Amino acid sequence: MSGPAHYCFSVFEACAETGELRRQGEIITRQELQQRLWPGHTFVDYDNSLNNAVGRLRQALHDVPYAPRFVETVPRRGYRFIAPVKAHPREQVAAPADAH
């Protein structure tokens, strides 16, 4: 499989293969994000849930809606990721230290 495996923006790194978001070595898994946003068997009200999820994403990225660095609100349409992103091909990504 070809194409980028990792995307870097600011002090964050996202791994497309594993679904992990790292900040200075700290990993936040997809499961952890799901549990933090919608724990258990929670019924989800999409509009409110989306707004809350974006708010929590901004909080995790230390971003603010009035001066966004990562997530911009597009009035009456949705959201846009605005930070520059660098894609790193799989060949350039070092294997984790514990993977031998």
Side-chain angles (χ1 to χ4, degrees), residues 7-26:
Y7 300 90
C8 298
F9 53 99
S10 184
V11 298
F12 300 95
E13 178 182 0
C15 179
E17 288 182 339
T18 64
E20 296 172 337
L21 175 64
R22 297 182 180 112
R23 180 176 148 244
Q24 296 173 348
E26 180 182 341

Side-chain angles (χ1 to χ4, degrees), residues 36-82:
R36 289 182 187 183
L37 295 175
W38 296 292
H41 301 301
T42 305
F43 172 78
V44 178
D45 174 358
Y46 180 74
D47 289 330
N48 287 327
S49 296
L50 179 60
N51 292 341
N52 287 332
V54 170
R56 290 179 184 201
L57 175 61
R58 285 179 170 145
Q59 184 179 27
L61 298 174
H62 302 284
D63 201 15
V64 291
Y66 55 84
R69 295 179 301 140
F70 301 112
V71 181
E72 174 185 52
T73 300
V74 180
R76 295 183 217 71
R77 299 210 43 217
Y79 303 96
R80 177 179 14 225
F81 191 82
I82 59 173

